[in-house]
Structure formats: C-alpha cells, structure tokens
Amino acid sequence: MLKQSRFISRERYRRILIAAACIALASQINITAYTPGFILTLSVLLLPIFLYFNADLNPIYITSAIALASPIFRGILLFVSNDVSRIDNVRYVIADMAFYFCYGLLYYILYWRKGQRNNSSFLLTIIICDYLANLVEVSILTGFTNYHYRLFQLLFVTALLRSLVSCGLAFLYHHFTLLIRDEHHEQQYYHFIWVASVVKSEVYFMQKSITEIENVMKNAYLLNKHLQDAKAAPAKQEMALTIARDVHEIKKDYQNVICGLGSYFGNDQTTPMQLADILKVTTRYIRAALKENQRGIVIDTHSHVDLVVPNHYYVVSILSNLIFNSADALLDQSQGYIRITVADAGDNIIITVSDNGSGMDAETQAMIFQPGFSTKFDEVTGNVYRGIGLSHVKIIVEEQFDGTISVSSIPSKGTNFDITLSKQRLTQEA
C-alpha cells in the first residue's frame, strides 16, 4: 500500500512538472499589449486545458509550479538579451508570477474545491480567472495607476477569447475521447452478447443431455440388478455397477458446469433486445471475424420487422451459425455475398439467409440437419468441426420458437436457409 501511494505521488509530481515545462515554453510565444512588460502568451491558452484534464490535481500546485518555471524562462531571456534593465526585468518576473498565483487561487476557490462541476461553470471560471489575474498583472506593471475603461475592456475581451478557444479545444477533445470510449464499450458489449449466446446454447444442450445421461445410468443399475437375479459372474455385475457410478459422476459434473454457467448467464440477467440490434450484433461481429481472416465477403441485411426479443441469445446462435455456414461455402468465391432478410408473415416472421457459394447436392441437403453430420474439418488435424451445428440450430428453432427451418440449394449457385419463427414465442419472456 505504501509503495502504491508513493507511485501515485510520483505520478502527480511528474504531471505537474510536465504542465509547468510545457506552459513555460509556450509563454515564449507572446505579443506585447497595453503596457511594457504585459504580454499575451500562448501559455494561457494551454493552462485551462491542463487544468481540465488534470482535475484530480490541486490547481494551486500546478499554477505555483508554472509561476516558478515560466518567469525564470522569461527572466533569463530578458537578462541575456539586455532588452530591459534589471529592475524592469525583476518587475516583469514578479508580475508574471503574480498572474499564475492569482489564477490558481481563484480557480481553486471558484471551481476546484466545489463538488458540483460541469463544463459551463468551468468556462465561466476560466473567464473570471483570466480576467482578474491579468488585471493583477497589469496593476503591478503600472504601479496600480492609469485605470480606465479601455483597459478593462481589453482585458475582458482577451480573457473571453482565450477562454473560449482553450475551453472549446478541451471540450472537443474530451467529447472525441468519449466517442471512442463508447465505441469500445459497444464492441465489448457485442462481444459479450456473442459469447453469452454461445454459452447459453451449449448449456441448453447440456441440459437436454442430462435426461439421456439419467437413462444410461438407470439402465446400468437395471442391468446390474438383472445380472444379480440371473446369478451372473460377479465381475459382470461389478462392471455394470461401475458404469452406473461413472455415468452418475458425469451427470454431477454436467450439473456443476450448468449451475456455474447459469449464475453468469441466467435468464434473470437477460435484457430484451430489438430484432434490429440482434442483426446488428451478429453481422458486425461476423464481419470483424471474416476481416481478420482476410475474407472479402459482403454481408447485406434487410429487415422491416420491429420486435423486442427477450430470449435473444438463441436468435444470435441461430443467425451466427447460418451466416458462418454460408461464409464457409464462399471459400473459393472472389465476390462472396451473404444476404439476410427478415419478413413479416402474420403470426410468424421469416428469416432468410442466402449466399452465392458452392451450394449442396440433394444428398447433402438431406443430411445437414442430422446430429453429428458435418462437411467441415481441420485440414491439419483431420478433426471434424462440431460447434453448435445445424442439427442443434434446428432443435432451437423448433423447441424455443415453435418454428421450422428448411434449405434449398443449387450446386455452384448458392444456398437459401428459410427459418420461420413464431412471433408469440419470440416476444415472450424466457
């Protein structure tokens, strides 16, 4: 903890020194106005920007560091150049330091120490700080004499213009960074939706597998009892009992995994999504995945159906599997094209995913919805790709959304998948 606090302190000092050095150097860009020694510098344009983006630093520390650094630069240059006498040089340096001390103190009192902060109050504070700090500087240079309306007018216009420019730059940059951050958060949200849809689909089929596992375990116990009644060899009885125990352990593992994943991706954490947003999430993520693999495939979406889907993870799984399936059929296409359309059909909606890929023959079309069937494999290992698979897509369509899925394809021409989903099932809570 002590090391961490020291690190934070060093980091703050480093930012203060950077601000002091940058603003001190910027003060060398200046023009003389009103009276000898009074200059309008670029540094006062930079100072509000540093204050805006270092809101955690006490402004008195920042302006004090600048008050020490900036006049030293100016005083040394004036001394070396012999442009002014030593007395005037000291007076200019004192006036310069007074400007920054006054600026920091006013900013601290009017803005920084208050809990409520916003851009409007920041701009107003900067105008006041600039105006009054300039007035103090001019007063020191003129010996607190020769006040007249033109002086106050000049100082206010100068403060207003400098504040508008510096605050405008700070606000624009801040807004730009927020836009980038929002886009990054949106991408992270899309990624979460994608991952959650995959997990939810896998959990769904794991839950279905529980019933099958229970049947195997039950049959193994019945076999063990049958072997006992038939007075079979003890080794066979023990084998049947071991199978039942092993299956029971597998069932417990499945249940633990389902329970663990369910706590992260349970239905109580599902936020309904517009169907248009579901299409956006799916297509944007797939476009990014295909781009990483340097696949020049155009994905076009057309939908005029406006629905709110509570159980949207399964819709993402259906769409993503069909779209990726089309993308795999476009491996040899120089101008691959995938089109997703959503049409209103009364009580149902019809989603069509079509491509201009390699297509399928009649034999393949008859098999693609069979469990375990796949035409995709890893060329290096020879392992068949599984994923959720079209057979599982068919189950989700039928069981979750009371729908149907069909395929039509022409070899070397392309493939169409037509999915009919019940509006009632789509819009009801999980």
Side-chain angles (χ1 to χ4, degrees):
M1 183 65 70
L2 183 60
K3 291 183 178 179
Q4 185 178 8
S5 63
R6 288 178 178 175
F7 174 78
I8 294 173
S9 298
R10 287 198 298 268
E11 176 64 20
R12 288 178 176 175
Y13 291 142
R14 185 180 67 85
R15 283 188 285 154
I16 291 173
L17 291 176
I18 290 174
C22 290
I23 293 175
L25 290 173
S27 67
Q28 306 312 309
I29 303 175
N30 59 73
I31 57 173
T32 302
Y34 184 70
T35 185
F38 181 66
I39 56 175
L40 303 178
T41 71
L42 179 63
S43 60
V44 187
L45 285 174
L46 296 181
L47 178 55
I49 297 176
F50 274 95
L51 293 174
Y52 185 79
F53 289 106
N54 292 278
D56 59 316
L57 298 179
N58 191 317
I60 295 180
Y61 295 161
I62 297 179
T63 53
S64 297
I66 299 169
L68 295 174
S70 179
I72 291 175
F73 274 83
R74 186 183 179 195
I76 291 174
L77 290 175
L78 289 175
F79 178 78
V80 172
S81 62
N82 293 317
D83 288 342
V84 297
S85 66
R86 291 185 179 180
I87 295 176
D88 287 338
N89 191 1
V90 171
R91 185 158 53 91
Y92 295 164
V93 167
I94 292 174
D96 209 10
M97 295 177 68
F99 171 85
Y100 289 110
F101 281 126
C102 180
Y103 196 110
L105 182 61
L106 288 170
Y107 182 82
Y108 174 82
I109 295 173
L110 298 176
Y111 182 82
W112 191 81
R113 69 174 185 173
K114 293 185 177 180
Q116 297 284 340
R117 300 178 186 179
N118 55 62
N119 289 345
S120 299
S121 59
F122 178 81
L123 174 61
L124 180 61
T125 302
I126 293 301
I127 295 173
I128 295 173
C129 292
D130 195 323
Y131 174 70
L132 293 180
N134 269 331
L135 184 60
V136 169
E137 182 180 4
V138 172
S139 298
I140 293 174
L141 292 172
T142 59
F144 295 92
T145 59
N146 297 327
Y147 294 111
H148 52 77
Y149 179 74
R150 181 176 173 273
L151 169 63
F152 297 111
Q153 186 181 48
L154 174 64
L155 294 180
F156 180 76
V157 171
T158 301
L160 180 63
L161 293 177
R162 288 197 301 201
S163 300
L164 288 174
V165 172
S166 59
C167 291
L169 291 173
F171 297 161
L172 284 174
Y173 181 77
H174 181 62
H175 180 67
F176 178 71
T177 54
L178 286 178
L179 288 177
I180 295 177
R181 192 180 304 164
D182 288 343
E183 183 178 357
H184 178 65
H185 288 169
E186 184 181 32
Q187 291 174 349
Q188 287 184 322
Y189 176 69
Y190 287 170
H191 181 69
F192 171 78
I193 293 294
W194 183 271
V195 172
S197 66
V198 173
V199 173
K200 291 271 287 187
S201 298
E202 295 295 343
V203 169
Y204 177 71
F205 291 107
M206 289 176 69
Q207 289 173 331
K208 289 177 66 66
S209 298
I210 289 291
T211 302
E212 299 175 3
I213 292 173
E214 287 176 343
N215 290 334
V216 173
M217 183 176 62
K218 178 182 177 181
N219 291 334
Y221 274 118
L222 291 175
L223 177 60
N224 174 262
K225 185 177 180 181
H226 175 73
L227 292 174
Q228 289 178 347
D229 294 340
K231 298 183 179 180
K236 292 182 179 181
Q237 297 178 27
E238 184 63 27
M239 183 182 296
L241 186 59
T242 300
I243 293 173
R245 289 171 179 167
D246 291 343
V247 173
H248 178 67
E249 292 301 316
I250 294 173
K251 176 189 172 183
K252 286 201 303 183
D253 292 339
Y254 260 58
Q255 289 176 328
N256 290 335
V257 172
I258 292 171
C259 182
L261 294 175
S263 63
Y264 289 102
F265 302 98
N267 293 329
D268 57 330
Q269 298 183 6
T270 300
T271 303
M273 288 181 67
Q274 292 281 347
L275 182 58
D277 291 333
I278 296 174
L279 291 169
K280 183 180 178 182
V281 169
T282 307
T283 54
R284 178 174 290 191
Y285 195 88
I286 292 176
R287 286 191 186 104
L290 296 177
K291 185 177 181 181
E292 290 179 0
N293 296 326
Q294 298 180 344
R295 303 278 299 279
I297 297 175
V298 176
I299 301 177
D300 193 16
T301 304
H302 294 273
S303 174
H304 300 288
V305 178
D306 187 18
L307 286 178
V308 177
V309 182
N311 209 10
H312 54 79
Y313 293 118
Y314 293 132
V315 179
V316 173
S317 293
I318 293 169
L319 289 171
S320 61
N321 275 274
L322 293 178
I323 297 172
F324 270 126
N325 204 70
S326 293
D328 290 331
L330 295 167
L331 285 173
D332 301 325
Q333 283 280 1
S334 58
Q335 295 181 334
Y337 184 82
I338 300 174
R339 181 185 179 92
I340 302 106
T341 61
V342 183
D344 195 323
D347 293 334
N348 302 315
I349 68 166
I350 299 176
I351 302 175
T352 301
V353 179
S354 58
D355 63 70
N356 62 340
S358 57
M360 295 178 285
D361 55 32
E363 183 180 354
T364 303
Q365 292 181 54
M367 296 290 294
I368 58 172
F369 296 118
Q370 297 297 320
F373 178 81
S374 177
T375 60
K376 295 176 284 185
F377 65 93
D378 191 320
E379 295 181 355
V380 177
T381 64
N383 295 328
V384 176
Y385 291 136
R386 291 300 177 191
I388 185 175
L390 290 176
S391 64
H392 286 179
V393 168
K394 185 173 185 292
I395 293 173
I396 290 177
V397 167
E398 293 174 347
E399 295 187 359
Q400 289 293 319
F401 301 112
D402 194 20
T404 61
I405 181 171
S406 61
V407 61
S408 60
S409 183
I410 301 175
S412 303
K413 294 292 185 181
T415 301
N416 290 340
F417 283 95
D418 292 311
I419 307 101
T420 301
L421 304 177
S422 167
K423 282 185 183 178
Q424 181 183 359
R425 294 291 292 273
L426 272 171
T427 56
Q428 74 181 15
E429 296 290 339

